[in-house]
Amino acid sequence: MTREYRLAAIPGDGIGKEVIPAGLDVLDAISKLEGFKLCVEHFGWDSERYLKTGEYIPAGGLETLKTFDAIFFGAVGSPDVPDHVSLWGLRLPICQGFDQYANVRPARVLPGVQSPLRLRDASDIDWVIIRENSEGEYSGSGGRVHRGLPEEIATEVSVFTRSGVTRIHRFAFELARKRPRKHLTLVTKSNAQRHGMVMWDEIFMQVARDYPDVTWDRELVDAMTMRMVAKPRSIDVMVATNLHADILSDLAAALSGSLGIAPTANLNPERTFPSMFEPIHGSAFDIAGRGIANPVATFWTACMMLEHLGETAAANRLMRAIEQVTARRIVTPDLGGEASTALVTESVVQALHD
Ligand code: IPM
Ligand code: MG
């Protein structure tokens, strides 16, 4: 029987509407070559819909989404909707509703891509950032009282739970264990934040005992930014909170050449719910509609999705095709090239056949 997967495609806003179709073209090609089937359903949940109807996700939408094997997501965000409204309207309800607590963000310098750092070797940067994706600074806990008055107070409460912290550390150790270097760096800010961050450190040390084959060290988040620039080779996998890893992953993307290539997977490792795969870059309205959005982040994201679905051969083959195309410098303007989204896409499809 042919292997078959049901995929929910949510292009969302801005360049999401360009890169997701490009990603689906590439997925279509690889599925035919590797002999599996992707049944894709499209969901037009975007800011336009929100402005018309007052909601991003229609009633019962999450229930429908729950039945899919994976979610392929573009971006959310529009100049006409405040960012916190769009984020909490579409992306976070999916991440939190489906308990996608492990956010995985690989960073590498692809062939033909120039890092702004003077690296000894492109392999100096070969990192995976594990971002806690369900609580912490993004828990949504807090509020505002005495709105608009001089005595107004706003609280934004970081929530850390023992179960939430334990599971992300376990996930990080498991992932580090599968990599050649087997090294994990714990990133917190436990010198200044003495409750939640100290608990993060304590739980990490407890979990570490179960993984004697993984070496580890720790770094404060501010020092980690320096280490990423000054000693990139000393890093393999890092685990950090929702906000810290958000910031570190933009730095990682820039150091590996462009935000336009950075992929991510929002995983529910227990597979109780579908996981969601998306490029990190966001809706990028400044270049939307011009046909120059870099589809590489979405292609790499598709590799992560294929891997998650168990199509490892397809994932590797697609990654090789992407690397062939970047090596030949068929790249979009963010990487210093002149290629369009369409040309990069056609070239990757072509390279899959080579
Ligand atoms: C990311 C993005 C989002 C985040 C934005 C769009 C809210 O920066 O995925 O890193 O902070 O989670
Ligand atoms: Mg970010």
Side-chain angles (χ1 to χ4, degrees), residues 264-291:
T264 191
N266 300 282
L267 300 180
N268 172 249
E270 289 73 29
R271 296 173 188 254
T272 315
F273 302 101
S275 294
M276 178 160 72
F277 300 83
E278 59 175 339
I280 294 187
H281 52 58
S283 52
F285 265 85
D286 52 331
I287 57 159
R290 291 171 48 197

PDB file of all heavy atoms in Angstrom, residues 264-291:
ATOM      1  N   THR A 264      11.782  25.847  10.904  1.00  0.00           N
ATOM      2  CA  THR A 264      11.457  25.421  12.256  1.00  0.00           C
ATOM      3  C   THR A 264      10.347  24.385  12.284  1.00  0.00           C
ATOM      4  O   THR A 264       9.512  24.321  11.388  1.00  0.00           O
ATOM      5  CB  THR A 264      11.096  26.616  13.160  1.00  0.00           C
ATOM      6  OG1 THR A 264      11.040  26.172  14.512  1.00  0.00           O
ATOM      7  CG2 THR A 264       9.780  27.235  12.824  1.00  0.00           C
ATOM      8  N   ALA A 265      10.387  23.567  13.334  1.00  0.00           N
ATOM      9  CA  ALA A 265       9.345  22.569  13.562  1.00  0.00           C
ATOM     10  C   ALA A 265       8.782  22.789  14.953  1.00  0.00           C
ATOM     11  O   ALA A 265       9.534  22.895  15.915  1.00  0.00           O
ATOM     12  CB  ALA A 265       9.942  21.172  13.462  1.00  0.00           C
ATOM     13  N   ASN A 266       7.468  22.905  15.033  1.00  0.00           N
ATOM     14  CA  ASN A 266       6.787  22.979  16.324  1.00  0.00           C
ATOM     15  C   ASN A 266       6.254  21.576  16.597  1.00  0.00           C
ATOM     16  O   ASN A 266       5.252  21.165  16.006  1.00  0.00           O
ATOM     17  CB  ASN A 266       5.609  23.955  16.265  1.00  0.00           C
ATOM     18  CG  ASN A 266       6.038  25.363  15.901  1.00  0.00           C
ATOM     19  OD1 ASN A 266       6.556  26.102  16.720  1.00  0.00           O
ATOM     20  ND2 ASN A 266       5.830  25.741  14.645  1.00  0.00           N
ATOM     21  N   LEU A 267       6.956  20.857  17.473  1.00  0.00           N
ATOM     22  CA  LEU A 267       6.643  19.434  17.613  1.00  0.00           C
ATOM     23  C   LEU A 267       5.826  19.100  18.850  1.00  0.00           C
ATOM     24  O   LEU A 267       6.071  19.631  19.938  1.00  0.00           O
ATOM     25  CB  LEU A 267       7.938  18.619  17.666  1.00  0.00           C
ATOM     26  CG  LEU A 267       8.871  18.703  16.463  1.00  0.00           C
ATOM     27  CD1 LEU A 267      10.110  17.834  16.707  1.00  0.00           C
ATOM     28  CD2 LEU A 267       8.169  18.270  15.185  1.00  0.00           C
ATOM     29  N   ASN A 268       4.882  18.196  18.631  1.00  0.00           N
ATOM     30  CA  ASN A 268       4.240  17.508  19.742  1.00  0.00           C
ATOM     31  C   ASN A 268       4.846  16.102  19.721  1.00  0.00           C
ATOM     32  O   ASN A 268       4.370  15.226  19.013  1.00  0.00           O
ATOM     33  CB  ASN A 268       2.718  17.460  19.541  1.00  0.00           C
ATOM     34  CG  ASN A 268       2.030  16.585  20.580  1.00  0.00           C
ATOM     35  OD1 ASN A 268       1.511  15.521  20.269  1.00  0.00           O
ATOM     36  ND2 ASN A 268       2.045  17.008  21.821  1.00  0.00           N
ATOM     37  N   PRO A 269       5.940  15.904  20.456  1.00  0.00           N
ATOM     38  CA  PRO A 269       6.719  14.672  20.301  1.00  0.00           C
ATOM     39  C   PRO A 269       5.917  13.410  20.585  1.00  0.00           C
ATOM     40  O   PRO A 269       6.211  12.360  20.033  1.00  0.00           O
ATOM     41  CB  PRO A 269       7.861  14.839  21.300  1.00  0.00           C
ATOM     42  CG  PRO A 269       7.951  16.312  21.540  1.00  0.00           C
ATOM     43  CD  PRO A 269       6.550  16.838  21.415  1.00  0.00           C
ATOM     44  N   GLU A 270       4.902  13.512  21.430  1.00  0.00           N
ATOM     45  CA  GLU A 270       4.103  12.310  21.753  1.00  0.00           C
ATOM     46  C   GLU A 270       3.154  11.952  20.621  1.00  0.00           C
ATOM     47  O   GLU A 270       2.513  10.912  20.635  1.00  0.00           O
ATOM     48  CB  GLU A 270       3.290  12.536  23.035  1.00  0.00           C
ATOM     49  CG  GLU A 270       4.139  12.561  24.299  1.00  0.00           C
ATOM     50  CD  GLU A 270       4.978  13.837  24.429  1.00  0.00           C
ATOM     51  OE1 GLU A 270       4.529  14.888  23.901  1.00  0.00           O
ATOM     52  OE2 GLU A 270       6.071  13.786  25.017  1.00  0.00           O
ATOM     53  N   ARG A 271       3.002  12.853  19.661  1.00  0.00           N
ATOM     54  CA  ARG A 271       2.126  12.657  18.497  1.00  0.00           C
ATOM     55  C   ARG A 271       0.656  12.487  18.862  1.00  0.00           C
ATOM     56  O   ARG A 271      -0.096  11.820  18.177  1.00  0.00           O
ATOM     57  CB  ARG A 271       2.609  11.483  17.635  1.00  0.00           C
ATOM     58  CG  ARG A 271       3.988  11.764  17.046  1.00  0.00           C
ATOM     59  CD  ARG A 271       4.561  10.579  16.327  1.00  0.00           C
ATOM     60  NE  ARG A 271       5.952  10.854  15.966  1.00  0.00           N
ATOM     61  CZ  ARG A 271       6.355  11.133  14.724  1.00  0.00           C
ATOM     62  NH1 ARG A 271       5.510  11.155  13.733  1.00  0.00           N
ATOM     63  NH2 ARG A 271       7.620  11.407  14.482  1.00  0.00           N
ATOM     64  N   THR A 272       0.266  13.092  19.981  1.00  0.00           N
ATOM     65  CA  THR A 272      -1.151  13.125  20.328  1.00  0.00           C
ATOM     66  C   THR A 272      -1.863  14.077  19.374  1.00  0.00           C
ATOM     67  O   THR A 272      -3.029  13.917  19.052  1.00  0.00           O
ATOM     68  CB  THR A 272      -1.313  13.674  21.776  1.00  0.00           C
ATOM     69  OG1 THR A 272      -0.344  13.044  22.594  1.00  0.00           O
ATOM     70  CG2 THR A 272      -2.697  13.445  22.314  1.00  0.00           C
ATOM     71  N   PHE A 273      -1.131  15.106  18.947  1.00  0.00           N
ATOM     72  CA  PHE A 273      -1.657  16.121  18.031  1.00  0.00           C
ATOM     73  C   PHE A 273      -0.692  16.258  16.856  1.00  0.00           C
ATOM     74  O   PHE A 273       0.478  15.892  16.958  1.00  0.00           O
ATOM     75  CB  PHE A 273      -1.746  17.480  18.741  1.00  0.00           C
ATOM     76  CG  PHE A 273      -2.603  17.477  19.970  1.00  0.00           C
ATOM     77  CD1 PHE A 273      -2.023  17.422  21.230  1.00  0.00           C
ATOM     78  CD2 PHE A 273      -3.983  17.530  19.875  1.00  0.00           C
ATOM     79  CE1 PHE A 273      -2.803  17.420  22.378  1.00  0.00           C
ATOM     80  CE2 PHE A 273      -4.777  17.529  21.020  1.00  0.00           C
ATOM     81  CZ  PHE A 273      -4.183  17.472  22.271  1.00  0.00           C
ATOM     82  N   PRO A 274      -1.184  16.850  15.765  1.00  0.00           N
ATOM     83  CA  PRO A 274      -0.254  17.095  14.656  1.00  0.00           C
ATOM     84  C   PRO A 274       0.788  18.144  15.036  1.00  0.00           C
ATOM     85  O   PRO A 274       0.526  19.035  15.842  1.00  0.00           O
ATOM     86  CB  PRO A 274      -1.159  17.606  13.529  1.00  0.00           C
ATOM     87  CG  PRO A 274      -2.439  18.022  14.173  1.00  0.00           C
ATOM     88  CD  PRO A 274      -2.570  17.251  15.445  1.00  0.00           C
ATOM     89  N   SER A 275       1.948  18.042  14.439  1.00  0.00           N
ATOM     90  CA  SER A 275       2.993  19.048  14.618  1.00  0.00           C
ATOM     91  C   SER A 275       2.900  20.054  13.480  1.00  0.00           C
ATOM     92  O   SER A 275       2.291  19.784  12.442  1.00  0.00           O
ATOM     93  CB  SER A 275       4.356  18.373  14.640  1.00  0.00           C
ATOM     94  OG  SER A 275       4.464  17.551  15.784  1.00  0.00           O
ATOM     95  N   MET A 276       3.532  21.206  13.694  1.00  0.00           N
ATOM     96  CA  MET A 276       3.424  22.273  12.688  1.00  0.00           C
ATOM     97  C   MET A 276       4.821  22.706  12.226  1.00  0.00           C
ATOM     98  O   MET A 276       5.721  22.916  13.025  1.00  0.00           O
ATOM     99  CB  MET A 276       2.669  23.466  13.276  1.00  0.00           C
ATOM    100  CG  MET A 276       2.540  24.646  12.326  1.00  0.00           C
ATOM    101  SD  MET A 276       1.208  25.746  12.798  1.00  0.00           S
ATOM    102  CE  MET A 276       1.903  26.525  14.256  1.00  0.00           C
ATOM    103  N   PHE A 277       4.956  22.873  10.917  1.00  0.00           N
ATOM    104  CA  PHE A 277       6.249  23.169  10.304  1.00  0.00           C
ATOM    105  C   PHE A 277       6.161  24.506   9.585  1.00  0.00           C
ATOM    106  O   PHE A 277       5.244  24.725   8.795  1.00  0.00           O
ATOM    107  CB  PHE A 277       6.606  22.020   9.348  1.00  0.00           C
ATOM    108  CG  PHE A 277       6.679  20.717  10.094  1.00  0.00           C
ATOM    109  CD1 PHE A 277       5.525  19.983  10.368  1.00  0.00           C
ATOM    110  CD2 PHE A 277       7.887  20.278  10.606  1.00  0.00           C
ATOM    111  CE1 PHE A 277       5.584  18.821  11.123  1.00  0.00           C
ATOM    112  CE2 PHE A 277       7.955  19.116  11.357  1.00  0.00           C
ATOM    113  CZ  PHE A 277       6.806  18.385  11.615  1.00  0.00           C
ATOM    114  N   GLU A 278       7.101  25.402   9.847  1.00  0.00           N
ATOM    115  CA  GLU A 278       7.015  26.742   9.272  1.00  0.00           C
ATOM    116  C   GLU A 278       8.398  27.360   9.102  1.00  0.00           C
ATOM    117  O   GLU A 278       9.308  27.044   9.853  1.00  0.00           O
ATOM    118  CB  GLU A 278       6.178  27.654  10.191  1.00  0.00           C
ATOM    119  CG  GLU A 278       6.792  27.747  11.572  1.00  0.00           C
ATOM    120  CD  GLU A 278       6.103  28.715  12.529  1.00  0.00           C
ATOM    121  OE1 GLU A 278       5.398  29.623  12.066  1.00  0.00           O
ATOM    122  OE2 GLU A 278       6.301  28.549  13.737  1.00  0.00           O
ATOM    123  N   PRO A 279       8.548  28.247   8.109  1.00  0.00           N
ATOM    124  CA  PRO A 279       9.780  29.025   8.050  1.00  0.00           C
ATOM    125  C   PRO A 279       9.750  30.057   9.180  1.00  0.00           C
ATOM    126  O   PRO A 279       8.665  30.490   9.584  1.00  0.00           O
ATOM    127  CB  PRO A 279       9.691  29.708   6.683  1.00  0.00           C
ATOM    128  CG  PRO A 279       8.219  29.773   6.381  1.00  0.00           C
ATOM    129  CD  PRO A 279       7.593  28.574   7.054  1.00  0.00           C
ATOM    130  N   ILE A 280      10.904  30.457   9.680  1.00  0.00           N
ATOM    131  CA  ILE A 280      10.926  31.403  10.811  1.00  0.00           C
ATOM    132  C   ILE A 280      10.617  32.838  10.368  1.00  0.00           C
ATOM    133  O   ILE A 280      10.172  33.660  11.152  1.00  0.00           O
ATOM    134  CB  ILE A 280      12.323  31.382  11.505  1.00  0.00           C
ATOM    135  CG1 ILE A 280      12.573  30.020  12.174  1.00  0.00           C
ATOM    136  CG2 ILE A 280      12.452  32.476  12.544  1.00  0.00           C
ATOM    137  CD1 ILE A 280      13.830  29.972  13.012  1.00  0.00           C
ATOM    138  N   HIS A 281      10.852  33.150   9.096  1.00  0.00           N
ATOM    139  CA  HIS A 281      10.934  34.558   8.689  1.00  0.00           C
ATOM    140  C   HIS A 281       9.699  35.433   8.878  1.00  0.00           C
ATOM    141  O   HIS A 281       9.809  36.638   8.993  1.00  0.00           O
ATOM    142  CB  HIS A 281      11.410  34.661   7.245  1.00  0.00           C
ATOM    143  CG  HIS A 281      10.635  33.825   6.270  1.00  0.00           C
ATOM    144  ND1 HIS A 281       9.283  33.946   6.074  1.00  0.00           N
ATOM    145  CD2 HIS A 281      11.047  32.819   5.444  1.00  0.00           C
ATOM    146  CE1 HIS A 281       8.888  33.072   5.140  1.00  0.00           C
ATOM    147  NE2 HIS A 281       9.938  32.372   4.758  1.00  0.00           N
ATOM    148  N   GLY A 282       8.515  34.877   8.920  1.00  0.00           N
ATOM    149  CA  GLY A 282       7.337  35.728   9.069  1.00  0.00           C
ATOM    150  C   GLY A 282       6.820  36.262   7.736  1.00  0.00           C
ATOM    151  O   GLY A 282       7.293  35.852   6.663  1.00  0.00           O
ATOM    152  N   SER A 283       5.854  37.183   7.806  1.00  0.00           N
ATOM    153  CA  SER A 283       5.104  37.556   6.598  1.00  0.00           C
ATOM    154  C   SER A 283       5.827  38.533   5.670  1.00  0.00           C
ATOM    155  O   SER A 283       5.471  38.648   4.492  1.00  0.00           O
ATOM    156  CB  SER A 283       3.738  38.119   6.995  1.00  0.00           C
ATOM    157  OG  SER A 283       3.892  39.137   7.952  1.00  0.00           O
ATOM    158  N   ALA A 284       6.831  39.248   6.169  1.00  0.00           N
ATOM    159  CA  ALA A 284       7.698  40.122   5.345  1.00  0.00           C
ATOM    160  C   ALA A 284       6.933  40.950   4.311  1.00  0.00           C
ATOM    161  O   ALA A 284       7.176  40.854   3.106  1.00  0.00           O
ATOM    162  CB  ALA A 284       8.794  39.295   4.665  1.00  0.00           C
ATOM    163  N   PHE A 285       6.024  41.791   4.793  1.00  0.00           N
ATOM    164  CA  PHE A 285       5.195  42.563   3.861  1.00  0.00           C
ATOM    165  C   PHE A 285       5.987  43.496   2.949  1.00  0.00           C
ATOM    166  O   PHE A 285       5.531  43.866   1.879  1.00  0.00           O
ATOM    167  CB  PHE A 285       4.119  43.346   4.647  1.00  0.00           C
ATOM    168  CG  PHE A 285       2.829  42.595   4.714  1.00  0.00           C
ATOM    169  CD1 PHE A 285       2.606  41.635   5.694  1.00  0.00           C
ATOM    170  CD2 PHE A 285       1.831  42.794   3.758  1.00  0.00           C
ATOM    171  CE1 PHE A 285       1.431  40.903   5.729  1.00  0.00           C
ATOM    172  CE2 PHE A 285       0.648  42.067   3.785  1.00  0.00           C
ATOM    173  CZ  PHE A 285       0.450  41.122   4.777  1.00  0.00           C
ATOM    174  N   ASP A 286       7.199  43.843   3.384  1.00  0.00           N
ATOM    175  CA  ASP A 286       8.010  44.743   2.536  1.00  0.00           C
ATOM    176  C   ASP A 286       8.363  44.110   1.192  1.00  0.00           C
ATOM    177  O   ASP A 286       8.563  44.821   0.208  1.00  0.00           O
ATOM    178  CB  ASP A 286       9.288  45.185   3.285  1.00  0.00           C
ATOM    179  CG  ASP A 286      10.083  44.005   3.855  1.00  0.00           C
ATOM    180  OD1 ASP A 286       9.475  42.961   4.190  1.00  0.00           O
ATOM    181  OD2 ASP A 286      11.320  44.124   3.945  1.00  0.00           O
ATOM    182  N   ILE A 287       8.428  42.791   1.145  1.00  0.00           N
ATOM    183  CA  ILE A 287       8.750  42.161  -0.153  1.00  0.00           C
ATOM    184  C   ILE A 287       7.600  41.304  -0.690  1.00  0.00           C
ATOM    185  O   ILE A 287       7.748  40.673  -1.734  1.00  0.00           O
ATOM    186  CB  ILE A 287      10.048  41.313  -0.089  1.00  0.00           C
ATOM    187  CG1 ILE A 287       9.942  40.224   0.986  1.00  0.00           C
ATOM    188  CG2 ILE A 287      11.278  42.175   0.140  1.00  0.00           C
ATOM    189  CD1 ILE A 287      10.939  39.080   0.758  1.00  0.00           C
ATOM    190  N   ALA A 288       6.468  41.309   0.010  1.00  0.00           N
ATOM    191  CA  ALA A 288       5.357  40.437  -0.416  1.00  0.00           C
ATOM    192  C   ALA A 288       4.859  40.834  -1.804  1.00  0.00           C
ATOM    193  O   ALA A 288       4.829  42.014  -2.149  1.00  0.00           O
ATOM    194  CB  ALA A 288       4.218  40.508   0.591  1.00  0.00           C
ATOM    195  N   GLY A 289       4.502  39.849  -2.589  1.00  0.00           N
ATOM    196  CA  GLY A 289       3.916  40.095  -3.915  1.00  0.00           C
ATOM    197  C   GLY A 289       4.939  40.377  -4.998  1.00  0.00           C
ATOM    198  O   GLY A 289       4.582  40.596  -6.157  1.00  0.00           O
ATOM    199  N   ARG A 290       6.229  40.370  -4.638  1.00  0.00           N
ATOM    200  CA  ARG A 290       7.247  40.688  -5.652  1.00  0.00           C
ATOM    201  C   ARG A 290       7.925  39.460  -6.245  1.00  0.00           C
ATOM    202  O   ARG A 290       8.780  39.579  -7.124  1.00  0.00           O
ATOM    203  CB  ARG A 290       8.286  41.647  -5.057  1.00  0.00           C
ATOM    204  CG  ARG A 290       7.668  43.046  -4.799  1.00  0.00           C
ATOM    205  CD  ARG A 290       8.575  43.965  -4.017  1.00  0.00           C
ATOM    206  NE  ARG A 290       9.930  44.011  -4.536  1.00  0.00           N
ATOM    207  CZ  ARG A 290      10.987  44.472  -3.868  1.00  0.00           C
ATOM    208  NH1 ARG A 290      10.818  44.937  -2.639  1.00  0.00           N
ATOM    209  NH2 ARG A 290      12.182  44.481  -4.408  1.00  0.00           N
ATOM    210  N   GLY A 291       7.558  38.315  -5.720  1.00  0.00           N
ATOM    211  CA  GLY A 291       8.113  37.078  -6.283  1.00  0.00           C
ATOM    212  C   GLY A 291       9.581  36.849  -5.962  1.00  0.00           C
ATOM    213  O   GLY A 291      10.249  36.088  -6.656  1.00  0.00           O
TER     214      GLY A 291
END
